[in-house]
Amino acid sequence: MAHGYQGGRLDLPFTGICTFAKKPYVADWDAIEADAAILGAPFDAGTQWRAGARFGPRSVREASTLFSFGHAGAYDHEDDVTYLGEDVRIVDMGDADIIHTDTLKSHANIRAGVEAALKAGALPVVIGGDHSVNIPCIEAYEGHAPFHVLQIDAHLDFVDERHGVTRGHGNPMRRAAEKPWVSGLTQVGIRNVSSTAREGYEAAREMGSDILSVRQARALGPQGVAARLPKGVPVYITLDIDAFCPSIAPGTGTPSHGGFLYYDVLELLQAVARDHPVVGIDLVEVAPDYDPTGSTAILAAQVLMNLLGCVFHARSIGGLGGNFAYF
Amino acid sequence: MAHGYQGGRLDLPFTGICTFAKKPYVADWDAIEADAAILGAPFDAGTQWRAGARFGPRSVREASTLFSFGHAGAYDHEDDVTYLGEDVRIVDMGDADIIHTDTLKSHANIRAGVEAALKAGALPVVIGGDHSVNIPCIEAYEGHAPFHVLQIDAHLDFVDERHGVTRGHGNPMRRAAEKPWVSGLTQVGIRNVSSTAREGYEAAREMGSDILSVRQARALGPQGVAARLPKGVPVYITLDIDAFCPSIAPGTGTPSHGGFLYYDVLELLQAVARDHPVVGIDLVEVAPDYDPTGSTAILAAQVLMNLLGCVFHARSIGGLGGNFAYF
Amino acid sequence: MAHGYQGGRLDLPFTGICTFAKKPYVADWDAIEADAAILGAPFDAGTQWRAGARFGPRSVREASTLFSFGHAGAYDHEDDVTYLGEDVRIVDMGDADIIHTDTLKSHANIRAGVEAALKAGALPVVIGGDHSVNIPCIEAYEGHAPFHVLQIDAHLDFVDERHGVTRGHGNPMRRAAEKPWVSGLTQVGIRNVSSTAREGYEAAREMGSDILSVRQARALGPQGVAARLPKGVPVYITLDIDAFCPSIAPGTGTPSHGGFLYYDVLELLQAVARDHPVVGIDLVEVAPDYDPTGSTAILAAQVLMNLLGCVFHARSIGGLGGNFAYF
Amino acid sequence: MAHGYQGGRLDLPFTGICTFAKKPYVADWDAIEADAAILGAPFDAGTQWRAGARFGPRSVREASTLFSFGHAGAYDHEDDVTYLGEDVRIVDMGDADIIHTDTLKSHANIRAGVEAALKAGALPVVIGGDHSVNIPCIEAYEGHAPFHVLQIDAHLDFVDERHGVTRGHGNPMRRAAEKPWVSGLTQVGIRNVSSTAREGYEAAREMGSDILSVRQARALGPQGVAARLPKGVPVYITLDIDAFCPSIAPGTGTPSHGGFLYYDVLELLQAVARDHPVVGIDLVEVAPDYDPTGSTAILAAQVLMNLLGCVFHARSIGGLGGNFAYF
Amino acid sequence: MAHGYQGGRLDLPFTGICTFAKKPYVADWDAIEADAAILGAPFDAGTQWRAGARFGPRSVREASTLFSFGHAGAYDHEDDVTYLGEDVRIVDMGDADIIHTDTLKSHANIRAGVEAALKAGALPVVIGGDHSVNIPCIEAYEGHAPFHVLQIDAHLDFVDERHGVTRGHGNPMRRAAEKPWVSGLTQVGIRNVSSTAREGYEAAREMGSDILSVRQARALGPQGVAARLPKGVPVYITLDIDAFCPSIAPGTGTPSHGGFLYYDVLELLQAVARDHPVVGIDLVEVAPDYDPTGSTAILAAQVLMNLLGCVFHARSIGGLGGNFAYF
Amino acid sequence: MAHGYQGGRLDLPFTGICTFAKKPYVADWDAIEADAAILGAPFDAGTQWRAGARFGPRSVREASTLFSFGHAGAYDHEDDVTYLGEDVRIVDMGDADIIHTDTLKSHANIRAGVEAALKAGALPVVIGGDHSVNIPCIEAYEGHAPFHVLQIDAHLDFVDERHGVTRGHGNPMRRAAEKPWVSGLTQVGIRNVSSTAREGYEAAREMGSDILSVRQARALGPQGVAARLPKGVPVYITLDIDAFCPSIAPGTGTPSHGGFLYYDVLELLQAVARDHPVVGIDLVEVAPDYDPTGSTAILAAQVLMNLLGCVFHARSIGGLGGNFAYF
């Protein structure tokens, strides 16, 4: 190439089109060839306080460019491992089509995107949008083998129905628990007052949830929490950014003080990815209008990049987490 | 009162509970006794770009406190008139109940609020929320005498239906035009590219709309525009804050450059209020997350206060605008 | 109620008039019937660096709405307790009248508000404003039984007088210590350079203060710090938001790094409320202009709601903290 | 100088210590040798809504550096004049000492600064702070020859007394009008509702004020307004930044829509400076916390630099404005 | 396409990957097939005050999505024309590679991008970056037929050299004027103090520049200004966003009050595009860090979309502006 | 002094000219008489993501005023020491001259400033600017006795060369390691993905670096880390503000989650200053445009003030850290 675009760019983070991690954009969802496929789900009509998570996918994509320069993967000196080398194929599917004022159609479009990724044998990685987008994500696995859901969140999100609302951002874990293909839930980071009343907690426990607060999770340690998940079972990870302390994740609709710090979550994800096939990921509730420093979007991108690194490193070294027969 | 709260407060703008203009809050909508009743309609699921108009009512109420100190109305030295003296009774009804993910229920609750104000013989003044809240506002007048709609807006909002959406913020003027009790529309400030395609403009013109751009309106002058409304007919005013130039109204979902400046709109409203009974008002699309200086909310409050001043001044001096037989 | 306002609202946090926790507003201070009465004290002329705490009451009230939906109190799954059920009556008194340029009159008005709450037998809960508002708060207890002051703060605020200033935000603890009805002080979180010079510390210690830095408090643990207060004695709690780390409380006039995290303070307050009758609370120095994400106001609201929950839970279960004979 | 600091710097605006226009700082007020002396008056306890004007002097100094590079004055191609060449000596006096909670002492310190400039024969140029700082500025001229006051402002600021307040930011023009050495007032830009009630306007007119709204001033034109000032009389200019439209001056405590645009004021100031000796200047109410883009501070600096340019250009070309016998 | 992405999306502005106007991204610069090609030039090391224009291309692309929904071009009811229909092919080339600390290499990469567009016969449309990126843009036309440069800007940018700097953002018009293939310059909007000293103005005039201030341009009117360009000659348009008033374009490095409003520039561009072949466009100095409301980026996108509409409309209707033989 | 400026000011932090800690400004670098000399190095063309560190010196100076009131040093009650009493002479040199587009000249000017401080026997304290300014700082010590470099940073900054870049903000530690007068490096806080690839880490280790992550440093404790520095050897400290957690230091170009909290760094610095002569300090990468609350600048000022306090306290009590024979 005479202009040297492909071969020789320095490609600083602030340059270029913002796909996730500057990975290729695949507009034709029938033509996905990848190990992981990123899908934006910019729906935020399910929120109960501050909106704006519709701009979550854009902000996370932009922040991801900070972690995307260099040409030979990301070297971590603590682990002495280079993650996400050229053998890991990641694509960006763009966003599901959102229909304002219509929750059902918007959710259906998100489901179609996740189904397309699954059909292509790619790990679906969905960036919300509010936590209600988890509902169509889980629904897209209908007909697939069962899995366990690991929710990392400040809120239990286990409301059954209020004023007729069943697909808002307070409902997804209840909807997940109802699915035959969800074998159980571990809900970590749950704290403080919440939209879920006492009955919701009782229902969750009856339906088999393991509920841990931030302080309880810290007392167990990341390895201890990971050990509570059923051994070797495939895991779907849903990460609400408000699980984190507002000090590092202020940019979200319903922040809650007392949340996780960075290594709390990173080490839990690393432990889970090492010992479980990860069959789906969503990261939700990043609302850039409340993130004037960019800290929240950077956190989301940094966590996603590290989690993907761990998932595909587990495959390369074998072991429980590397079992990708699911796809 | 020993503590002197009622009698002797200086009551600077930054003190006290933020009802609109620090007027009494009436939670019981069956007990409204007022000339004008303020209703918040914090619904923003109808937006197509930036959300956040759900916080519009709060921000306008807070800004309105800037114009609410002093005890004997607001003296205007240009007009040599004291507006909104103690004879004008204004109450704040609080907000309509919003049901996230459910446009129809949210709109029904807004309609109920406007109906309550009308039943009490009070002028309904609705603060949005996105422009879709105009739909239930207009519907609440079902069974009342016909009126003309004056829309001041950057966008025509005349989309019939797309992807099944009929009650988003691009649809309200089409919905209004369909109502038997809406006798016609004047649409002022319309400019630039818009979500409404050529067909929408043609439909609007066929249904009797008078469409004026900012430049066309300025060429006519405020009096000239006002003169195009059918003489003496009752008027419902719907004011989208994005009719204004983003220089003074950046805090809105879909700003459009080339908009009105302050006196463009003020003088038009004064002229209309002088010569027409005003039977309803909504002011929509204030989104404080995009209003870091507060300029937009202050503008909304300043315009509303002045418009109310003109409406009730017209009553006190008689004339066409003072004909309140409508209620 | 035909319009269903009272009975059936979903009442999402972003709707409605912002009283504290959406509790009833009582404008007539002679008619308070409540267990706790919230008073805004929007005075910030006592600040020595950044102003803006005058908007503290508004911002805390708005943030408090996030914690105010649901109808049956706030369920905490860690404690397995539902706090602030319908038996706890809380009202919002609005704000004390502030007279710009006049510190003495403004302070007198704040004192009158606290006196009104005390006269009604309600726990006074004052939201500042800068820390100087603690001066009239403490003065309002003149003639009441003695109590101990627990200050949680970055700064000692023990300056006697400089350039004639005795009622600025660097003076309140000195003023408190002078009162016969203040039996002692515990000052926690004090760190780093401060406006109080060495002499101030020496005077504080001579007047009986127990001064603890953040690191010292952490070494003792929340229970250990609480145990240093005189056993069972009534306690007045004054909480300067700058006691917290700027990571979660940047929105304040004089932030100081190295402050408390959320559970540091929460657990201390829980321990104190369990073992001491709490006879007054003020929370000061929230300055929303420096709080672009809302994190600080949310923290203030979250801490106040939890503290009130603990105070009234102590009453319901009996024990030292539940002794409300003080009022 | 071996290090070349003085001789050879490019001195881009973002480098260096922020004195006004990077002019020399003179800490010893007995040693001023200058044609104009800049004094900061960071007092904002006189505000009735948003505070923060205490940081006005800092923000205007910082913005002024944008206009301070180059070594040979500022060339204006429209006028074909190079303003503020090396013959004009400007110094920065730093700030008056402010005593929190004490309006009288703070005002006294501001007065002392203006007196020092006058004693040195330098034109006092005061940067507020809120508009109450005009009170000690005018008082500092006690014993000097009479002058006319030109106020450019949104608000009349003519309140006599309320709740005992006589030196707040709503009082300065009343205080000025009372002074024997103030021969008259022209008040331009006054509009909309205001803290000044009808009685204030009547009092102002009785005391000889010429009050003009923005629309009235525009109808007259800058030359027409200037012509209403008594011919050749010395003029003191007090410029409240809220005279301007919030579109360019949002960063102020009490913005008011419908204000002046840039050339409205610039051309008025040029006309006045050409035909009147300017004997004092204050520019007040810049509040950088509400100025996220810096637009307001840049406006203040740009206007001050241009006004000083006109004042000293008038001296250099002779004529009425160049009569500096006053000092 | 089964997933319906191409055919049936509603495609609201907040969804999808942010290329300019959601147009196709062409990474291979040898494979451009388009009428216009957008190139980002995120270089800001040429700035003399505030940096951040490196994020200009991203912010303008994001803002452009607001104007990119709908499927059949943009209907303008004032002109009764649908602009940018499907016959106009626009592609996004992404960004030139920037080498930090190395101005020459960065500029060379920008030049390569413009050369690629020209080679493909596409109109180059460059989004800066600071105004220094105009230097390599103009250089890329070496060997092409001569053209006239229309600069719309607050600053003359005609500095020859200072401290060795010849390719900063104060130099581009001097560099352009030196090129044999630049036949002349019209410089519009120039005002106030500037980094260009008197000598620069004199040099510009000697080299044939026609310099007009905002007030001079307004006195002539848009048609009058356009008429000063040499009749029918091809024109390269360089638009510095600081030509506009800071009220609508605060998000730029060196804002200058007194600038153009929206229609001032729009009508000038329309007039020029109608009567001249436009052979290149750059729009520079958008710095989103100073644009908290997004107003500046929206303005840039709105102006670019309209200018492109006019350029290609001129082609479709023939006439002077439609002469595209240049490419 | 009649005006009382020197003797009797209260001198609140928000008043006065912003030199560092309100210390005297010395424009003539040949006339420095001080123990420590502050130099601004506002160069940010070395950044690879967000720029803006050019305003770092201004923001840190402004924040430093918060720690500068009082007249008798800063009393720390935990240490029972008054730091930075009147015996410690600190001056502010202003800023090095920056030449936009020219990295080499800008770096040369920074070097000249550090050389001037060294020549005067003052401890150089440089405020960046991006981390590339460390390169000329280290170069200025050419000919002086060797020292060890302690880097506290998120990033290794050990890139040798890419695309010809050798003096960007990813290169300084490589450049330092090459110098004969740098005897070794300790690099603390290094974490996560970085611009430095595996080869850079290997090169660093080969050149003798001791690399510690945040988690590794915490496991060792501050004393443990300090003990790894060669005993008693002079130390140059380079502190990149992004070493800290974005929760307290969001205002920087390339934030990285998982960083140090306040006491982590404070206690390390105290330990090092106690046991090593500190021969130079730079603090870099504060970018106020991303610091809306001021938290980052306050952190930088607070750390610098404390570090200076420790350095000069070590001198006053003797011991290893107090050996100032280096100068």
Side-chain angles (χ1 to χ4, degrees), chain B residues 225-247:
Chain B
V225 174
R228 292 167 74 104
L229 275 71
K231 195 172 176 63
V233 166
V235 169
Y236 180 102
I237 299 173
T238 180
L239 175 52
D240 187 323
I241 203 76
D242 69 21
F244 287 98
C245 179
S247 66

Side-chain angles (χ1 to χ4, degrees), chain E residues 58-72:
Chain E
R58 280 199 184 163
S59 71
V60 176
R61 282 188 181 107
E62 182 166 353
S64 75
T65 64
L66 175 57
F67 302 100
S68 308
F69 59 119
H71 301 283

Side-chain angles (χ1 to χ4, degrees), chain A residues 44-52 54-55 58 97 99-103 105 163-165 167-169 289-290, chain B residues 44-52 54-55 58 97 99-103 105 163-165 167-169 289-290:
Chain A
D44 65 5
T47 49
Q48 294 172 287
W49 197 33
R50 309 192 296 200
R54 63 181 62 184
F55 288 107
R58 280 199 184 162
D97 199 38
I99 312 300
H100 58 300
T101 73
D102 194 331
T103 300
K105 280 193 186 172
H163 284 250
V165 177
R167 300 179 77 92
H169 77 161
D289 292 335
Y290 304 98
Chain B
D44 64 6
T47 50
Q48 293 173 287
W49 198 33
R50 309 192 295 200
R54 63 181 63 184
F55 288 106
R58 279 199 185 162
D97 199 38
I99 313 300
H100 58 300
T101 73
D102 194 332
T103 299
K105 281 194 185 172
H163 284 250
V165 177
R167 300 179 77 91
H169 77 162
D289 293 335
Y290 303 99

